[in-house]
Amino acid sequence: MEDRITKFIAALRAEGVRVSVAESQDAWEAITHLGVRDREAFRMSLRATLIKDFDAIPTFEDLFPQYFSLGTPPLMDPQSGLSEEEQQMLQEMLQQMLQDMMEQIKGDLQKLLDWLLNGQTPSQEDLEQLADQAGLNQPNARSPQRAQQYARRMQQMLGWEQMQELLEMLWEQLAEQGMDPDSIEQMKEQVAQNMDRLEDQLSEYAGEKLRDNRVEDAQRHKPVNDLMNRSFGSLSQPEMDQLRDEVRRLAARLRTRAALRQKRGKQGKLDAKTTLRANLRYSGVPFEIHFKQRRLKPKLVVILDVSTSMRPVAEFFLRLIYELQDQVQKTRSFAFVDHLEDVTDDLLTHRIDEAVITVLTRLPAGHYNTDLGGSLRQLEARHLDAVDSRTTVIVLGDGRNNFNDPGVETFGRIGRRARKLIWLNPEYPAQWGTGDSDMPAYAPLCSELYQVRNLAQLTDAIDHILV
């Protein structure tokens, strides 16, 4: 059971669920006190200690029965109800059949016959050998949904269809030899039940093997660190897919850091000036201690350039912000190419994959048609109420306007209304001001500037924004 719980926690982490070492220890302590006899209490103790986010509950509920099913019953011994004479008759008939059909019966078929007629359960070595023959150790064998397919392959390796023919021959020959029909019927029923139970055992083992393969893949995902430092423009489609899988784990780490900062923020920082002023009535003796309370969760307005060159950066930014919504008071999101679109509802009403596609396709990408200045004027004219003194405005773009009016004055007015004005740019600072880049005009008006050429830089920038 200990090994199964460890694998279950590893599977949760592989699916992107945040489970810290401390939470794992809490789970073990809960199990120590409650035990595992009451399955529902066991399930709820794991869920209460390991799951923090509502969105992670479906993942937990999906994985729990896969790791803690009630299990398939053991195989029965069909010979236990036979008399000594009938058992002797069965053994002689089996030996005669094996001699007559030696060329047809292979090694795995012989194993299957022994399991079904003697009630033997396949050993771990037998199961591993079958799994290897069925391809369960191949690199593409990773989806738990394919467990039934691999289980059927394992049955084929054992000679499942041939076994049906052999058993029919056996029942007929036992009847010819004069065995009691009731004994034969009882054996037939028990062997049929054994076949059903063995089929369930093979299916359960295949599912467990596929889940273990997936967890091992997640634990071996070290090359992701290299991809995170590669520029978005240099990534192939498979590498992009690999990084998309990594986003949830990155977001989990960012959420943990933000939660720790929030905890410290609630405690506050000593406000020396206010403390001294408040205690003048006590001749300066600090009876009343005052703390500075920090604004814990930012309120965001996001302006995204989704032109052709910016789309990979915009996609990963959207994915990270989507996963971190619980660390933000409120987010208004706008996307632009040659005009501005409010995409807030798209991100609120769709799952992340659908939301990204919706946002990126709402504004058709073109070449040399980006107009940030015009989009800023649209924001000021239609959505300025979204920006106030508590708002952090984030612009994700390369600052290129295709020689249109950059709208610097409008940008300045938006910045003066906001708490902070932050710019995320994938280009090197040496490229600012070259060609149609207006970044040198925007940069002095920004509170903070970050280069976000790769996922590592983007993650670091968002970490700072959540401070």
Side-chain angles (χ1 to χ4, degrees), residues 294-438:
R294 185 171 56 189
R295 189 175 287 107
L296 300 176
K297 292 185 178 181
K299 178 182 174 183
L300 304 181
V301 166
V302 177
I303 306 170
L304 300 171
D305 181 351
V306 293
S307 59
T308 302
S309 60
M310 287 295 301
R311 291 202 165 198
V313 194
E315 176 189 340
F316 282 100
F317 178 83
L318 285 171
R319 288 180 180 275
L320 283 168
I321 289 296
Y322 184 95
E323 296 287 346
L324 294 166
Q325 283 302 305
D326 58 338
Q327 298 301 319
V328 178
Q329 289 184 33
K330 183 180 180 181
T331 302
R332 287 286 300 276
S333 302
F334 302 91
F336 74 91
V337 179
D338 58 346
H339 70 282
L340 190 76
E341 290 276 354
D342 187 345
V343 296
T344 305
D345 289 341
D346 295 325
L347 294 171
L348 291 175
T349 57
H350 295 86
R351 291 188 176 274
I352 181 58
D353 291 330
E354 298 172 1
V356 167
I357 293 173
T358 302
V359 170
L360 295 183
T361 55
R362 176 178 285 199
L363 290 94
H367 295 283
Y368 310 111
N369 64 335
T370 306
D371 187 358
L372 174 56
S375 300
L376 290 172
R377 287 188 286 273
Q378 281 184 268
L379 178 67
E380 183 181 39
R382 303 176 186 175
H383 307 288
L384 196 59
D385 60 326
V387 182
D388 56 32
S389 60
R390 296 176 300 161
T391 306
T392 296
V393 177
I394 303 170
V395 180
L396 178 70
D398 54 15
R400 296 187 177 273
N401 276 292
N402 295 297
F403 303 104
N404 294 310
D405 179 5
V408 175
E409 293 182 359
T410 303
F411 187 66
R413 288 194 292 271
I414 293 172
R416 286 191 290 273
R417 285 179 61 92
R419 175 173 172 259
K420 279 185 181 182
L421 190 54
I422 297 175
W423 196 298
L424 309 180
N425 193 324
E427 292 189 341
Y428 292 105
Q431 296 175 287
W432 298 356
T434 61
D436 61 342
S437 172
D438 290 313

Side-chain angles (χ1 to χ4, degrees), residues 212-227:
D212 290 346
N213 290 346
R214 190 165 181 170
V215 171
E216 290 174 6
D217 280 353
Q219 293 173 344
R220 289 198 302 263
H221 235 185
K222 294 182 180 178
V224 167
N225 294 330
D226 298 330
L227 294 181

Side-chain angles (χ1 to χ4, degrees), residues 275-288:
T275 299
L276 290 173
R277 190 180 300 114
N279 286 280
L280 288 175
R281 72 183 81 174
Y282 308 118
S283 300
V285 179
F287 286 111
E288 298 178 7

